[in-house]
Each structure stands twice: as C-alpha cells, then as structure tokens.
C-alpha cells in the first residue's frame, strides 16, 4: 500500500487525530459511505452560499446575502434528497432551510467587503524540513476556501469557513493541525515568513453567532509537521490501522458497519497493504 502522493489536511487529520481505521475505509479501501448526516450537508451548503457571495460581492456594497441564500437553498435542497441522510432528533428539511437563512443573515450583518485574491483555490506544495532541507517525497495539498488581501499590508490572509454547533475556542488554534498545514502552505506559496489565517465560524445556536478568529504563524512548527507527515506515511505504508472505539468521532462516522466487522478479518486490511 502506498501513502497518498500528497497529503491533504483531511486525510492527515483522519489518520493522526480521528481514527486510523476510518482512514483505511475512506482513503485506502475507498468504501462508499454507509450513511450521511444532515449537519454535514448543512455545513457544505452554507459553505457554497458564502463562496458564491464572495464571488459576487462588489466594493462598497453590502454583503450579497441574497446570493448566499439562493445558493444555500438550492444546494441543500438537492443534498437532502440523499436517501441515506440521518437527521438529528426534531430536525426537518424545512427547519434546516429556515435555520440557514438565519445563519446567513447573521453573517451578512457582520461581514465587510474584502479584496479577494482567490476563492476555492487548490494548492500543492512540497514539504521541506526547515532544519535539514530534506524534501519529503509527498507534499501537502488542499483547498483554501478564500484568500483575501490584508488592507494594511497587502499580504494574503487565508480564510476558512466553519459551521459548528458550539462556539469555537481560540485557545488551541496555534497547535491546530489545519492551521499548521495551511500556515505552511501559504508561506510556501507566497514566500512569506509569517502566515495570516482566519476562521470565519458560523455557530448554529438557537440565536446564531458569527465568530472571527485570527492567527498568525511562522515556521516554528514546520519540523514537527514534517515529522508528523512522515510518521503517518510510515503507518499507512506498513498497513497500521486500528479502530478508535468509543471516540467522539464514532457518532458521525459513515463506516460503522464495516468497523463492526473489522475484528472478524483484520488481515483483510493487510491484503490491501500488499497490493
Ligand atoms: S466507528 Fe469509530 S472506531 Fe470505527 S471506523 Fe468509525 S471512527 Fe473509527
């Protein structure tokens, strides 16, 4: 088995932070999900709405919330036709659509026009050890939701949209794996010493909240990221996968049936490893 040609943040975080067995099902065996979740679709539809709004936004104009709402509605309506979708208790398709409108209204009240460098831009960067100069054979890849220009410095600021059930804690942002990966990528792409990143978080409270969290990072954590990616690659190459039973991730895992059968034939994973 080979590790990915380039590691995305989501693949890396699935292997090192969520569950190695889930990584196997998703990225090695390429299993079809057994179920899907309304909260995931809601977040994707909000994301699509915000992206469309940013593309349509004109300088000195208010946030184009009408564009965001239309794209959100269309996107979620299609996704809700998925027969495998699981709703939370008391949740309905109509309720989700109404909630999305309220969430986007809160966003529109707080958001300000920013000069856009790119939306949904894909990146692939080599992974270089900052101390030894060693180049890891597999780099990092991913997508930035939005890159805007800092109005004071003109430097790029990477913005990531998040939709969550609770307020986001800014305490551990420095050590957050996604921040580390994106910080590394933007410094590589733009030749910067420091990367500026921002999380635009829409919190799905009864009364929705918009949070904006900012973080600036230099290369201090790059050696650790390099070794983390190397360790993950070694684990995958060696076929090392096990369940993270009882973790907070199991409730939202789309592979619970495959996981329940895992111990009946764990060597099935090894045969994948030897392909
Ligand atoms: S159900 Fe839990 S332990 Fe099993 S694959 Fe999913 S996340 Fe891992």
């Amino acid at each position: 088995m080979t590790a990915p040609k380039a590691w995305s943040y989501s693949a890396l975080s699935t292997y090192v932070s969520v569950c190695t067995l889930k990584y196997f099902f998703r990225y090695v065996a390429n299993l079809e999900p057994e179920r899907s979740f309304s909260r995931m679709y809601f977040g994707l539809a909000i994301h699509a709405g915000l992206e469309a709004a940013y593309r349509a936004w004109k300088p000195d104009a208010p946030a184009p919330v009408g564009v965001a709402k239309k794209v959100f509605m269309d996107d979620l309506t299609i996704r809700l036709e998925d027969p495998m979708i699981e709703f939370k208790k008391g949740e309905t398709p109509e309720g989700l659509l109404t909630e999305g409108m309220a969430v986007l209204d809160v966003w529109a009240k707080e958001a300000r026009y920013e000069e856009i460098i790119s939306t949904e831009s894909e990146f692939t960067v080599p992974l270089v050890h900052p101390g030894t100069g060693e180049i890891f054979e597999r780099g990092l890849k991913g997508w930035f939701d939005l890159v805007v220009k800092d109005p004071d410095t003109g430097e790029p600021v990477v913005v990531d949209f998040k939709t969550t059930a609770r307020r986001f804690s800014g305490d551990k942002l420095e050590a957050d794996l996604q921040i580390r990966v994106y910080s590394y990528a933007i410094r590589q792409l733009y030749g910067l010493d420091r990367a500026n990143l921002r999380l635009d978080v829409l919190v799905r409270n009864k009364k929705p909240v918009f949070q904006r969290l900012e973080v600036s990072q230099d290369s201090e954590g790059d050696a650790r990221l390099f070794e983390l990616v190397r360790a993950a690659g070694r684990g995958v190459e060696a076929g090392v996968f096990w369940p993270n039973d009882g973790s907070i991730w199991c409730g939202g895992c789309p592979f619970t049936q495959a996981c329940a059968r895992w111990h009946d034939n764990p060597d099935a994973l090894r045969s994948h490893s030897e392909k």
Side-chain angles (χ1 to χ4, degrees):
M1 178 183 328
T2 53
K5 285 197 175 70
W7 280 90
S8 66
Y9 155 68
S10 58
L12 185 62
S13 104
T14 302
Y15 193 81
V16 304
S17 309
V18 176
C19 174
T20 60
L21 189 57
K22 182 178 178 186
Y23 176 93
F24 173 82
F25 292 141
R26 178 164 174 197
Y27 295 100
V28 181
N30 292 315
L31 291 192
E32 288 294 325
E34 298 157 8
R35 54 191 186 139
S36 51
F37 303 94
S38 59
R39 62 178 174 276
M40 180 181 80
Y41 287 157
F42 184 89
L44 290 171
I46 289 283
H47 187 293
L50 292 180
E51 187 195 332
Y54 270 99
R55 284 186 199 273
W57 207 337
K58 300 275 185 288
D60 302 322
V65 68
V67 173
K69 286 181 175 179
K70 168 141 188 17
V71 172
F72 166 80
M73 289 273 282
D74 293 348
D75 188 286
L76 189 58
T77 302
I78 291 169
R79 291 184 190 278
L80 291 177
E81 289 170 7
D82 179 350
M84 293 193 306
I85 191 168
E86 291 182 14
F87 291 93
K88 275 194 335 197
K89 198 170 169 203
E91 213 173 48
T92 62
E94 298 72 29
L96 283 174
L97 291 167
T98 306
E99 186 186 350
M101 299 296 115
V103 164
L104 289 169
D105 277 332
V106 170
W107 166 77
K109 257 190 218 153
E110 311 239 356
R112 298 285 172 272
Y113 175 81
E114 294 167 286
E115 190 175 338
I116 293 171
I117 296 175
S118 65
T119 55
E120 275 300 303
S121 50
E122 195 171 355
F123 67 81
T124 307
V125 291
L127 191 52
V128 184
H129 193 290
T132 64
E134 182 184 354
I135 300 175
F136 190 59
E137 74 269 28
R138 303 174 202 285
L140 295 171
K141 67 176 182 180
W143 290 262
F144 297 133
D145 289 347
L146 178 69
V147 183
V148 296
K149 205 179 256 190
D150 184 301
D152 298 324
T153 65
E155 288 188 349
V157 180
V158 170
V159 181
D160 196 66
F161 302 135
K162 300 226 172 281
T163 310
T164 66
R166 290 187 194 83
R167 272 180 178 272
F168 221 79
S169 164
D171 296 351
K172 294 179 182 153
L173 275 189
E174 280 287 329
D176 182 273
L177 183 56
Q178 184 179 18
I179 298 287
R180 278 266 159 239
V181 169
Y182 284 18
S183 156
Y184 178 84
I186 197 120
R187 281 183 281 110
Q188 287 280 316
L189 287 169
Y190 289 90
L192 300 169
D193 293 330
R194 292 194 75 82
N196 296 311
L197 303 105
R198 195 175 85 211
L199 301 183
D200 281 3
V201 186
L202 285 161
V203 188
R204 296 177 61 188
N205 280 342
K206 266 190 186 155
K207 198 171 166 215
V209 174
F210 179 56
Q211 276 184 291
R212 184 162 271 189
L213 303 169
E214 294 173 345
V215 60
S216 171
Q217 262 187 358
D218 61 17
S219 60
E220 199 183 319
D222 289 358
R224 195 169 180 82
L225 178 64
F226 183 96
E227 295 300 347
L228 186 68
V229 172
R230 174 150 51 194
R234 285 175 176 158
V236 172
E237 294 281 354
V240 178
F241 307 105
W242 70 94
N244 188 7
D245 283 334
S247 73
I248 57 164
W249 309 106
C250 294
C253 179
F255 305 116
T256 42
Q257 291 175 36
C259 178
R261 295 191 299 270
W262 164 76
H263 56 273
D264 292 335
N265 188 10
D267 284 346
L269 275 62
R270 183 166 297 282
S271 62
H272 266 279
S273 312
E274 288 160 359
K275 276 180 190 168

